[in-house]
Amino acid sequence: MVLKGKVAVVTGAARGIGREIALLMARQGARVVVNDYGGSEVGQGAGSAPADEAVADIRKAGGEAVANYDSVASMAGGQRIVQTALDSFGRIDIVVNNAGILRDRMIFNMTEEEWDAVINTHLKGSFAVTRAASPHMREQRSGRFINMTSTSGLVGNVGQANYAAAKLGIVGLTKVTALDMARYNVTANCISPFAWTRMIGTIPTETEVQKARVEKIKKMSPAHIAPVAAFLASDFAKEVTGQIFGVRGKEIMLFGHMRPIMRVHHAEGWTVERLAEMFPGTLQHHCVPLETSGQYFNYDPLV
Ligand SMILES: NC(=O)c1ccc[n+]([C@@H]2O[C@H](COP(=O)([O-])OP(=O)(O)OC[C@H]3O[C@@H](n4cnc5c(N)ncnc54)[C@H](O)[C@@H]3O)[C@@H](O)[C@H]2O)c1
């Protein structure tokens, strides 16, 4: 049991990927706060039953868990979620920022409400729980943050400007959390998962490309993601921080980071004309093609 004695908060843990992570962490000995506000896949409504069911399943399997029904999307919610761990189990060692919704729309039609709902759930929600947990981890000189990003941000996807912006924002949040907390033995990493869940069921499948992408995702189980999260939460991964792991069926990937891949220098400085002359033979060769996640990950998953 690699997580014996640890206390984990998993947000959005009533369903999909979060539920599998909560179940596996409990099987590995962690005491788990199952956070879920129980709303719809587009972020409406609320209820306690979904989180209660996940807690019951953990207890049935011999694990320890309590439910929390707060939304991650406010600072007060983040505080209450972390307080649930402290009140129930006396400490907090692991935070999995997993709660999520989708509100897909083309950029020229996206509303302020659709933008705010997605940014607030994913990006602000990850900040809110991280902000509440990090002083405790700093104090105890140990901890783990595991944040969910997406190839919708890392690669790109049509109709997901809000979601892509939030998910790349989470990469920045994770990187700086890793830097700020390094001296306290606290790590922060991202997982970019692929799995068939309720959320993915909301992706519009109007075009052939969208249909093909969703058909491939249907083959992948959220259970594939959980071992990577539990590994990152364990002492085995104490040196692993600031990284992005992709999990697609039985495949695990390590993503690269934003670094210059080519530099050009002109002794007299650049003018528009000089740049126009040099660009095609230099930087242009290294421009990354405009692709969606589904076009890039276009092979059948290994499941
Ligand atoms: N499934 C995939 O292929 C995929 C791909 C990339 C990223 N992700 C990410 O993985 C995470 C989990 O997604 P999933 O596919 O399991 O979706 P899901 O819809 O099955 O589960 C998400 C859960 O989060 C909960 N939730 C939503 N908003 C909340 C809030 N404000 N407060 C508390 N709980 C809230 C929901 O009630 C739901 O139970 C998300 O962050 C998602 O963006 C998933």
Side-chain angles (χ1 to χ4, degrees):
M1 295 227 272
V2 301
L3 301 178
K4 187 133 196 74
K6 312 245 190 231
V7 174
V9 162
V10 184
T11 69
R15 301 187 184 86
I17 294 166
R19 182 173 186 280
E20 294 295 335
I21 292 174
L23 284 166
L24 181 61
M25 287 190 170
R27 274 207 301 282
Q28 286 292 343
R31 289 166 292 166
V32 181
V33 175
V34 170
N35 157 262
D36 207 296
Y37 78 150
S40 74
E41 54 272 48
V42 295
Q44 281 149 359
S48 55
D52 287 341
E53 273 167 39
V55 167
D57 289 343
I58 289 174
R59 289 185 181 154
K60 231 181 284 160
E64 270 189 75
V66 295
N68 167 284
Y69 316 114
D70 282 295
S71 168
V72 296
S74 75
M75 299 310 283
Q79 289 288 349
R80 283 195 297 267
I81 293 164
V82 170
Q83 197 58 47
T84 303
L86 301 175
D87 292 346
S88 309
F89 304 126
R91 56 186 292 121
I92 177 151
D93 301 286
I94 301 158
V95 169
V96 184
N97 282 308
N98 167 83
I101 58 166
L102 282 179
R103 302 289 291 271
D104 288 12
R105 190 85 63 195
M106 296 301 260
I107 187 64
F108 42 83
N109 287 327
M110 187 171 284
T111 65
E112 182 179 4
E113 199 267 327
E114 288 162 343
W115 174 268
D116 286 346
V118 168
I119 297 287
N120 287 345
T121 303
H122 290 272
L123 185 54
K124 185 173 176 187
S126 297
F127 168 65
V129 184
T130 301
R131 175 65 186 81
S134 51
H136 302 283
M137 294 184 180
R138 178 172 176 245
E139 183 86 4
Q140 75 199 13
R141 297 273 189 286
S142 68
R144 297 281 187 275
F145 290 102
I146 297 152
N147 299 335
M148 294 294 155
T149 184
S150 170
T151 55
S152 296
L154 298 167
V155 177
N157 253 337
V158 173
Q160 294 195 321
N162 50 0
Y163 183 65
K167 288 309 205 185
L168 267 191
I170 286 173
V171 173
L173 168 70
T174 307
K175 181 72 90 173
V176 177
T177 302
L179 287 167
D180 287 354
M181 299 299 285
R183 76 190 75 164
Y184 308 113
N185 300 315
V186 176
T187 69
N189 292 286
C190 280
I191 295 178
S192 180
F194 296 76
W196 179 246
T197 62
R198 181 182 80 154
M199 209 184 79
I200 300 303
T202 71
I203 293 180
T205 47
E206 283 150 24
T207 68
E208 287 310 311
V209 170
Q210 286 170 331
K211 275 188 200 137
R213 174 176 181 236
V214 167
E215 279 312 309
K216 287 197 175 87
I217 298 179
K218 274 189 184 168
K219 298 179 186 161
M220 291 176 273
S221 157
H224 287 123
I225 318 300
V228 179
F231 166 76
L232 290 172
S234 77
D235 292 343
F236 293 122
K238 62 175 185 291
E239 311 289 345
V240 182
T241 192
Q243 306 303 316
I244 308 165
F245 298 92
V247 188
R248 189 171 184 263
K250 290 181 182 165
E251 188 177 51
I252 298 175
M253 307 164 242
L254 180 64
F255 277 87
H257 293 239
M258 296 295 185
R259 294 286 189 274
I261 52 171
M262 189 190 184
R263 297 164 210 248
V264 287
H265 175 266
H266 199 289
E268 288 148 43
W270 291 99
T271 61
V272 177
E273 290 76 15
R274 275 182 202 137
L275 186 52
E277 193 192 328
M278 290 289 284
F279 189 80
T282 56
L283 299 180
Q284 190 169 318
H285 290 308
H286 298 270
C287 287
V288 173
L290 193 59
E291 286 169 326
T292 64
S293 168
Q295 288 167 321
Y296 186 81
F297 293 99
N298 59 8
Y299 52 94
D300 260 337
L302 310 163
V303 289

